Amino acid sequence: MCTRPATALYGRLIHAEGDSDEDIAASARPHIARNGLRQMGGQAMQGIGDQVVNAKIVLPWLMGAVGAPGLLLAFLVPVREAGSMLPQAPVTPWVRRLRARKWAWVAGAAAQAVGSAAMAVAALTLEGWPAGIAIIVALAVFAVGRALCSLASKDVLGRTVPKGQRGQINGVVSVLSGAFALVLGLGLEVWGGDVGAGLLAVLLLGAALAWVVGLLVFVTVREPEGSVEEPDDQSSWIAEAWHLLRDDATFRRFVLVRSLLLVSALSPPFVVAIGVANQGDGLSGLGLFVIAQGVANLIGGRLFGRLADRSSRLLMVGCALGASAITIAFLLLLLAPTVRESAWLYPVTYLLLAVVHLGTRLARKTYVVDMAEGDRRTEYVAVANTAMGVLLLVTGGATAVLSIWGNGPALVLLAVLGVCGAALGRSLPEVSAGR
């Protein structure tokens, strides 16, 4: 392979000339450009699949298309989000015994391909309760695969790409997946007909193929092999996680801040629900919200990637305040009958929340990668995500209870949590390269 073209393309993509690579192992430095491109390629395929296996937009349509009971809809987001976080600390000992952590990502991508394909099979062969349960089980398999990818991707990125370039790689991936979402959404709008189980099954099979392509690309990453850590029979992952949270004040504060930034993640489904209630079927074509998600990634991908490399801490703070402000403004606009009946209020609000959520995700991913080195990074990512899985279930339960009295109180709670997260986030130390 020729290094010069890869280096040139990588430089054009992220504009990172002159970045220091002192934090990268000597054996990995000659491969920084090619490794960056390969990780972009693998994770872009994952991003394409994510636009199809979307628990906030696409999967609810799938459940409706197969006639699954409405009760099962409540499990989609918790299984997808918490299911991809809770397993991370338990699987960390296995990941840390791998000399090359990319194999954990490859295994996770394979599991996501299997989960996506299983959903497609369920859509084509089952109906009602059996179809809904099969989709939930397949989504759980998918989520465990995502846990492996989430854990391994940050470790591989930290081993192969220096500070000052990591956030921009995530940003480029977001742009590519956003472009696909935009094309997919426009295609669904042009389609114009009913989005039935057959069409959704085809999309899910396409998503499974994307993960297969992604793992074939990712396996070519030239990762420096680390030392193998033998398991300690005298300790458990629960004890290790507790000790890390107890003894590392900075990490503990980061986990708390991250838990308070759920406003941009949990608000969109409530916005969609309010829109459907006020507008009916005329509002919520599937393509419209997929387009909004794609536009959000295109707008924020590279911009937030570069800002995350400058200061992931300040980006977290700014996006938390932005999400809270958007949520409160949305609630205030609902008080005006003419605005409440506008068909554009809901997709535009969804779009704005998707933009700031993208910024939040890129900021926290970059922060945790830059905060630690070596195997400590794997531990930080695993414990942070497992703790977030628990907190996500707690916060999701609290908002579900509040939603009994309407979606408004749940949104108010999320907005308040976002403001608190922004205030606490200002006290986090700066860990970014600051370029």
Side-chain angles (χ1 to χ4, degrees):
M1 296 181 66
C2 179
T3 304
R4 188 182 302 274
T7 305
L9 177 57
Y10 183 73
R12 288 197 299 272
L13 283 172
I14 67 172
H15 304 286
E17 297 86 347
D19 284 326
S20 172
D21 59 0
E22 294 178 356
D23 54 334
I24 300 299
S27 61
R29 290 174 192 167
H31 309 291
I32 288 176
R34 285 178 291 182
N35 279 337
L37 286 172
R38 288 163 179 169
Q39 288 177 77
M40 285 180 191
Q43 293 188 43
M45 289 297 102
Q46 175 167 273
I48 287 173
D50 280 343
Q51 301 307 319
V52 176
V53 189
N54 188 318
K56 299 175 183 177
I57 305 174
V58 178
L59 294 188
W61 254 266
L62 177 63
M63 298 288 267
V66 298
L71 175 65
L72 295 177
L73 292 176
F75 291 94
L76 289 175
V77 173
V79 169
R80 166 63 180 84
E81 299 297 336
S84 66
M85 295 178 180
L86 287 172
Q88 292 197 24
V91 302
T92 296
W94 174 74
V95 173
R96 293 176 68 172
R97 290 197 292 273
L98 298 175
R99 290 190 181 278
R101 307 290 163 78
K102 67 181 180 182
W103 296 112
W105 196 97
V106 170
Q112 289 174 93
V114 170
S116 182
M119 290 182 223
V121 172
L124 292 173
T125 60
L126 300 173
E127 294 182 354
W129 274 95
I133 292 173
I135 291 169
I136 294 295
V137 172
L139 184 60
V141 173
F142 175 93
V144 172
R146 172 48 58 91
L148 284 173
C149 286
S150 176
L151 183 60
S153 64
K154 298 176 182 65
D155 204 11
V156 175
L157 184 64
R159 287 180 168 205
T160 58
V161 177
K163 287 185 179 182
Q165 301 180 24
R166 296 164 181 165
Q168 295 175 70
I169 285 180
N170 288 327
V172 170
V173 170
S174 295
V175 169
L176 295 176
S177 64
F180 173 79
L182 187 58
V183 172
L184 175 62
L186 289 172
L188 291 172
E189 287 295 300
V190 172
W191 172 268
D194 292 335
V195 181
L199 177 58
L200 291 174
V202 171
L203 293 177
L204 287 166
L205 289 173
L209 179 60
W211 269 292
V212 172
V213 174
L215 70 86
L216 293 176
V217 173
F218 205 90
V219 78
T220 63
V221 171
R222 299 289 295 273
E223 178 186 357
E225 293 188 348
S227 58
V228 176
E229 180 176 308
E230 295 299 326
D232 183 359
D233 295 333
Q234 302 301 315
S235 62
S236 67
W237 66 266
I238 297 177
E240 291 177 356
W242 169 250
H243 290 155
L244 180 60
L245 287 168
R246 183 193 64 188
D247 299 336
D248 193 325
T250 299
F251 176 70
R252 183 172 64 250
R253 188 178 305 150
F254 167 74
V255 172
L256 180 57
V257 169
R258 183 179 170 185
S259 69
L260 294 171
L261 301 184
L262 289 172
V263 53
S264 60
L266 296 181
S267 294
F270 290 106
V271 172
V272 174
I274 293 173
V276 172
N278 289 335
Q279 293 288 319
D281 295 336
L283 162 80
S284 54
L286 175 59
L288 190 62
F289 287 97
V290 174
I291 289 172
Q293 186 66 60
V295 171
N297 284 5
L298 288 173
I299 292 174
R302 291 192 64 188
L303 171 63
F304 288 138
R306 293 178 66 82
L307 291 176
D309 282 331
R310 291 181 179 276
S311 176
S312 53
R313 176 183 68 91
L314 292 180
L315 182 58
M316 277 191 289
V317 170
C319 287
L321 289 175
S324 295
I326 293 166
T327 301
I328 295 300
F330 171 72
L331 291 172
L332 293 175
L333 289 172
L334 289 177
L335 299 177
T338 55
V339 178
R340 184 170 62 246
E341 295 171 0
S342 170
W344 290 104
L345 173 63
Y346 308 98
V348 169
T349 302
Y350 185 96
L351 169 63
L352 294 175
L353 286 172
V355 169
V356 293
H357 179 58
L358 175 62
T360 301
R361 288 179 61 247
L362 292 179
R364 62 174 172 75
K365 285 182 178 181
T366 305
Y367 192 93
V368 74
V369 172
D370 289 346
M371 183 168 54
E373 302 292 340
D375 283 340
R376 194 67 165 176
R377 182 182 294 116
T378 308
E379 190 175 3
Y380 272 20
V381 172
V383 174
N385 285 342
T386 298
M388 270 302 300
V390 175
L391 293 169
L392 179 63
L393 292 176
V394 172
T395 305
T399 54
V401 171
L402 285 175
S403 66
I404 295 175
W405 292 277
N407 293 317
L411 287 173
V412 170
L413 172 63
L414 291 171
V416 171
L417 291 178
V419 173
C420 294
L424 186 61
R426 291 183 59 84
S427 66
L428 286 170
E430 190 63 71
V431 298
S432 302
R435 297 187 189 283

